[in-house]
Amino acid sequence: MSQLIYPGIVLRNHYTIVRELGHGGFGRTYLAQDQHRFDELCVLKEFAPQVQGSFALKKSQELFEREAQILYQLKHSQIPRFRELFRETIDNKGYLFFVQDYVEGLNYRSLLNQRLRQGLQFTEAEIIQLLFQLLPVLDYIHCYGVIHRDISPENIIQHQSDGLPILIDFGGVKLIQAKVESELAAQQGQNPTPTCLGKVGYAPDEQMRLGRVYPHSDLYGLAATTLVLLTGKEPQQLIDPQTLIWNWRKYTNLSPEFGEILDKMLAYRQSDRFPSAPDIIAALSALNSPLIQPISEQSIPVTQGGVTLTQNQSLSSQTIPTQGGKSSGIPATLLVFISVLIMGGLGWLGGHYWLNNYANHDLNQLSKTEEKRKEVLLEKRRLLGIDFGFFTVLVNEEFYTRYPEQQGRTLTDKPSDSIWREKWDQIAGEFLQRLAKLSDQSRMKLGTYSRDDLDYWTATVNQLSLSRQSLYDLADAKFFYFFPEQSKTADLLELPIGQVWQAFTNDVVHQLQAGLTWERVEFASKKTRKTLKETLKPGEGKAYIARFNKNQVLQVLLKPSEPSTLLSIYTPGTTQRAQSLLEDSSKRLWSGRLPDSGDYEFVVVSESSKPVNYELILETR
């Protein structure tokens, strides 16, 4: 993150930066709280293109403002709302930002990965539902002359509040630098190169090779996305490299009529594709499938996100309006019937999706006790600022670990599953209580930590003359105190719970930087013995650094003798690789001749459930 923009800084007097969400060639993206909207979360996108010269920068900003104006016109419930564009000067450096709504939920890449871990993919019924939900959105933006250009599983989020797919990361802004370079080349008498954008496999050939985009370019990307969700394979695995024809049928079994629709959306020749979203909607509506049989006018129970609703209106001839007052032409009977068949199957997708969804509906399938229990969990998670998608994956992991017999199935809102819903909620409650022990800053980053963070933290503590081993000892003490059921031998970083370990590590780094959990030991003149006294709270530790010479004889004694207090001793490793003389040991006494000269580290951690007083005695000769 830029040193000038960091968590806690307030921009434009009301946007408080929470954390960085990502970065690329055009700047960084930040999660922020809007103080003027009761700290509602929003997204700030910094525009800092990598272009040379004042003219290029000015031209880039003009194009950026023009693109922002286009995005401002798009007002659709399935597109993040553009709020404003503003400039900010920090330490005499100018910044340009635009602000959008923050969409909370899992993207479809994460949803697919959840399925794949259970040996599952998306079903044909779910994909038809997804198409009916997204095609009107594409029709809406295409009517404004906007092409998304970058449709993929990563750029579609299942919104936690209503389960609808949200289209994010429009590619227009990403074109700006290429447009600037093209105009500069033209001014200099050079042939401009085509402006190309898109992900390989998700964008058609003419878009990737020539930079030409049309409404059906987005429809191609949508079809490619659906096949990835259906097969669990990437486009490169589904496209014949010689003929560029999609060969997906050996990986999934679809109805012939639906397969033909996808093939037409993915046709290599532009003239062979559906020209517009309404054309695909019409083709899907004409499918001779039991999924879309018309139904009679009646009260229909619709299960959505585990919540049963009732439709008490005439459905025989209604159409569903889209944005701008236009009709999508989709019979309401079709959408409701698909909802009956499909949304119930999505109800507990990836665990308890409806934990955040149910509050908007009538929970007539749940008891008042369970309804209240879920309201409490919902409010706790929101107050703690924990990302919904990450929290769902985290609790799922623990749920399936404790109850492996439930692996591979989703929970329903039926009374027969009430005991399992209660167990899931119990785990969720336990985790929320434990995660509350993290600092706000570390907790709100859950789900975004990477191995790069470990390298950064190591470099940070190295500046304090502390090693990675000492950092991990202190982090382990905190983490395993709150999560004692986790394996100390497993590679946690490969699991969702590893994000929690990293969050605790982040807190430990900040404590070390503040000088709260480490101390440099200095021996008074002619003194060879030093006694260090400390009280450790449960899950806490402290590191000491003392400088010794090679071949000195050192004796280390730890009092008291409780096995719950562990001791580690690390060599400096200045002339040979650093080694541990003791590591997480319950031994109270160590003595020996030192193998190297430099700073030795002594780490004391407590595994006790109550405060521990100790003395660490260092004696040398």
Side-chain angles (χ1 to χ4, degrees), residues 294-539:
I295 54 179
S296 60
E297 177 183 329
Q298 55 184 322
S299 281
I300 307 168
V302 181
T303 303
Q304 182 171 358
V307 181
T308 300
L309 314 175
T310 302
Q311 299 284 345
N312 290 311
Q313 52 185 319
S314 175
L315 302 172
S316 57
S317 60
Q318 289 180 317
T319 58
I320 305 299
T322 61
Q323 295 290 324
K326 296 180 297 179
S327 170
S328 70
I330 309 174
T333 52
L334 174 61
L335 291 183
V336 172
F337 192 79
I338 291 177
S339 294
V340 174
L341 294 174
I342 300 173
M343 294 308 291
L346 293 176
W348 284 76
L349 175 62
H352 286 46
Y353 153 75
W354 67 281
L355 179 62
N356 284 265
N357 189 34
Y358 77 93
N360 298 322
H361 305 294
D362 175 21
L363 295 181
N364 54 13
Q365 294 258 359
L366 304 180
S367 68
K368 292 296 182 182
T369 300
E370 183 171 356
E371 182 179 343
K372 180 63 177 177
R373 184 177 75 226
K374 296 185 182 302
E375 287 176 352
V376 170
L377 290 175
L378 169 63
E379 186 61 20
K380 281 185 178 180
R381 187 197 62 78
R382 284 180 173 170
L383 288 174
L384 291 174
I386 302 171
D387 180 77
F388 164 74
F390 166 74
F391 186 67
T392 301
V393 173
L394 179 68
V395 179
N396 282 348
E397 177 190 41
E398 182 63 20
F399 177 80
Y400 290 124
T401 298
R402 293 190 192 181
Y403 309 107
E405 66 273 21
Q406 296 299 311
Q407 188 76 38
R409 69 176 294 265
T410 55
L411 303 182
T412 70
D413 59 356
K414 296 179 181 178
S416 58
D417 270 340
S418 63
I419 183 64
W420 296 112
R421 295 196 302 271
E422 183 177 359
K423 291 180 183 297
W424 196 99
D425 291 347
Q426 181 181 359
I427 295 172
E430 292 173 7
F431 276 27
L432 288 173
Q433 185 175 4
R434 300 176 192 181
L435 295 177
K437 305 300 181 181
L438 290 163
S439 69
D440 291 345
Q441 178 185 353
S442 294
R443 190 170 54 243
M444 295 184 75
K445 285 187 64 177
L446 285 168
T448 68
Y449 291 106
S450 69
R451 291 184 181 269
D452 290 339
D453 291 304
L454 298 179
D455 295 335
Y456 172 76
W457 295 328
T458 298
T460 300
V461 299
N462 286 167
Q463 293 177 359
L464 303 174
S465 297
L466 289 167
S467 65
R468 182 192 291 251
Q469 295 101 309
S470 293
L471 170 61
Y472 286 5
D473 284 347
L474 297 172
D476 284 350
K478 253 185 197 311
F479 172 79
F480 287 110
Y481 172 72
F482 291 109
F483 293 87
E485 74 279 4
Q486 298 298 322
S487 169
K488 292 187 177 182
T489 60
D491 185 0
L492 296 181
L493 294 182
E494 300 302 320
L495 304 172
I497 194 67
Q499 288 285 307
V500 180
W501 181 87
Q502 287 191 265
F504 276 109
T505 305
N506 191 38
D507 277 347
V508 168
V509 170
H510 289 299
Q511 290 174 340
L512 289 169
Q513 286 179 303
L516 300 177
T517 52
W518 76 281
E519 178 182 336
R520 178 168 283 280
V521 180
E522 301 287 353
F523 287 83
S525 178
K526 297 183 180 180
K527 295 290 184 181
T528 60
R529 181 185 174 99
K530 186 76 172 183
T531 301
L532 306 160
K533 298 181 179 181
E534 191 67 67
T535 299
L536 291 180
K537 295 179 181 178

Side-chain angles (χ1 to χ4, degrees), residues 1-20 28-35 39 42 44 46 86 88-93 95 97 441:
M1 185 178 296
S2 170
Q3 293 182 352
L4 300 179
I5 303 177
Y6 51 86
I9 190 174
V10 180
L11 302 180
R12 214 185 190 196
N13 296 321
H14 68 277
Y15 293 116
T16 304
I17 298 297
V18 176
R19 68 173 187 267
E20 182 182 317
R28 299 175 185 270
T29 302
Y30 302 95
L31 179 66
Q33 292 175 317
D34 189 341
Q35 295 179 1
D39 288 339
C42 59
L44 268 61
E46 172 194 353
F86 72 90
E88 185 84 352
T89 300
I90 306 173
D91 288 352
N92 297 319
K93 181 179 179 181
Y95 292 83
F97 295 93
Q441 178 185 353

Side-chain angles (χ1 to χ4, degrees), residues 49 51-61 180 184:
V51 294
Q52 301 295 322
S54 57
F55 172 81
L57 180 60
K58 182 180 179 181
K59 190 66 179 178
S60 296
Q61 291 179 345
V180 171
L184 288 176

Side-chain angles (χ1 to χ4, degrees), residues 107-243:
N107 65 35
Y108 273 78
R109 172 67 65 188
S110 297
L111 293 174
L112 176 61
N113 289 338
Q114 285 185 1
R115 297 287 184 95
L116 294 177
R117 283 195 290 268
Q118 300 177 27
L120 305 170
Q121 292 93 37
F122 282 79
T123 66
E124 178 176 342
E126 291 170 326
I127 293 303
I128 290 176
Q129 172 75 355
L130 181 65
L131 289 172
F132 273 126
Q133 291 172 330
L134 274 179
L135 286 167
V137 184
L138 291 177
D139 183 37
Y140 171 76
I141 68 171
H142 294 161
C143 287
Y144 276 89
V146 176
I147 309 297
H148 186 283
R149 297 182 174 91
D150 198 15
I151 293 179
S152 66
E154 290 80 6
N155 287 339
I156 306 171
I157 292 179
Q158 187 185 68
H159 199 287
Q160 70 170 61
S161 65
D162 54 20
L164 287 175
I166 309 295
L167 205 54
I168 66 168
D169 261 7
F170 282 68
V173 173
K174 302 171 188 176
L175 283 171
I176 292 172
Q177 180 168 325
K179 288 181 178 178
V180 171
E181 292 172 349
S182 178
E183 290 192 20
L184 288 176
Q187 282 189 349
Q188 297 168 3
Q190 302 173 0
N191 291 324
T193 57
T195 299
C196 304
L197 177 74
K199 290 186 179 72
V200 175
Y202 292 95
D205 178 67
E206 71 275 4
Q207 179 177 338
M208 295 300 299
R209 186 166 49 87
L210 304 174
R212 297 175 182 169
V213 292
Y214 312 91
H216 57 65
S217 305
D218 283 346
L219 304 179
Y220 183 103
L222 180 58
T225 296
T226 62
L227 281 179
V228 170
L229 298 177
L230 284 163
T231 64
K233 306 291 184 183
E234 289 305 302
Q236 293 85 340
Q237 299 172 276
L238 302 173
I239 300 176
D240 187 311
Q242 303 299 323
T243 64

